[in-house]
Amino acid sequence: MMISPHNDKAQHTHISSFWSSPSLNLGLILVIPSVVLLVLVSTLVPHPSTFSPLSSPWKWRYGGHRYSSIFNGSSTDSPFMEAETDKLAPNMSFSDALIDKDVDNVTSTTRVVKRSSKLEMVEAYMARARSSIKEAARVRNLTSIHQDPDYVPHGPIYRNANAFHRSYLEMEKLFKIYVYQEGEPPMFHNGPCKSIYSSEGRFIHEVEKGKFYTTQDPDEALVYFLPFSVAMLVRYLYKSESLKTDAIGRIVIDYIHVISGKYPYWNRSLGADHFMLSCHDWSIRVLCNANTSEGFIPAKDASFPEINLLKGEADIGGLPPSRRSILAFFAGHLHGYIRYLLLNEWKDKNDPDVQVYDQLPKGVSYMSKLKNSRFCLCPSGYEVASPRIVEAIYAECAPVLISDGYVAPFSDVLNWKSFSVQITVKDIPNIKRILMGISQR
């Protein structure tokens, strides 16, 4: 989804403009996940023929074979790029669509109306939202044409600003999350907020505040959140000396048994409209560690940014590029083969342009190095994801992704090649040449 800079130099022409909107950083972390989940639900939740008269004819199979969606092209195509329309009959309202069609024995003067269930009404709303988003996707403007007093997406950082904006507006109108109340802290309804897994805790706490997009009525929900933190499960159940994760699996299975026995929602969709969030690589659906080689499916799952908030708050801002003296910077321990290659190639070169450390010299500030660098190297460690990507964005330093199989956060919405650089592992020795070839503009 991203290409090497020496193959497409045009991707870098708008890098500096991306950093000019500080509010985007907050939206990237708190708002876009909801939009992504709305699109995932509208395209991936199966519609068996027994659901309602509005059930879609497309097929959904769990197991990695194919996820045929409402959109044209391959199964990984984004709704913000191309779309095909599956509309209701012309001039038919959604309430009319729910009228029972079996009225052959009714006289012409009698009107028989089937009372719609909440599920059928939700499906009708989703059909309207899908149609609206697909219609918006046909407009290829870099600036949305929709009116919005709060924010109008614009610029090349979006794959399709118009489709994203329409999806956002539809999300504000109808997206609802139901959070299961079962389970107790510390493993449920709780998560770390000041660690490398801060994304888990922050998301859980924001959702459970209930200010936005949550509902107390599960019949109104479009998605259902399983409120456990994988980081907390690992802390309390993982046996590091044995490397066994059996206990974690058992508690998740037990939790599914509880909610599926108490509520109809899991069994109704076989869990397709349920989601969990994890920054570890032992889960599905919404992942920080979005690795295609380990089962991450872009057509079904959502990639979430990994954030390391040691102090609980982000340090945002930095010098303009013209005043940054370091071309590229990285500091980190030896984790995984990609970092081994990077450190082996650049650590001892003492190059003032490409500064790579396994440990910073005493008295040198990590954040000051980030804020004084034009490009920040973000190699994968043991996992493909790295909190350095978000750290780079906070420091207004163009992130350089060095990984195999990584799907960048919200990549079906954001055009990462417009504000980042991807360097293949085999090009690690050519980092300086590649980055020097990118113009200041």
Side-chain angles (χ1 to χ4, degrees), residues 37-104:
L37 284 172
L38 172 63
V39 176
L40 285 171
V41 171
S42 68
T43 58
L44 297 178
V45 175
H47 298 268
S49 58
T50 56
F51 275 20
S52 85
L54 294 179
S55 295
S56 295
W58 58 277
K59 298 179 179 179
W60 187 93
R61 286 187 292 165
Y62 188 86
H65 297 296
R66 178 168 177 77
Y67 295 82
S68 303
S69 73
I70 54 179
F71 303 111
N72 281 335
S74 69
S75 59
T76 58
D77 278 349
S78 165
F80 306 105
M81 301 180 70
E82 267 324 312
E84 112 186 48
T85 307
D86 58 342
K87 298 181 179 178
L88 297 176
N91 303 319
M92 178 183 290
S93 69
F94 286 91
S95 58
D96 291 339
L98 298 174
I99 295 176
D100 187 36
K101 299 177 179 60
D102 240 345
V103 292
D104 292 341

Side-chain angles (χ1 to χ4, degrees), residues 162-180:
N162 200 53
F164 170 65
H165 197 195
R166 170 51 64 191
S167 180
Y168 183 91
L169 295 174
E170 294 291 345
M171 175 193 72
E172 289 186 312
K173 288 191 296 184
L174 62 91
F175 189 67
K176 295 294 181 183
I177 303 172
Y178 179 74
V179 181
Y180 286 108

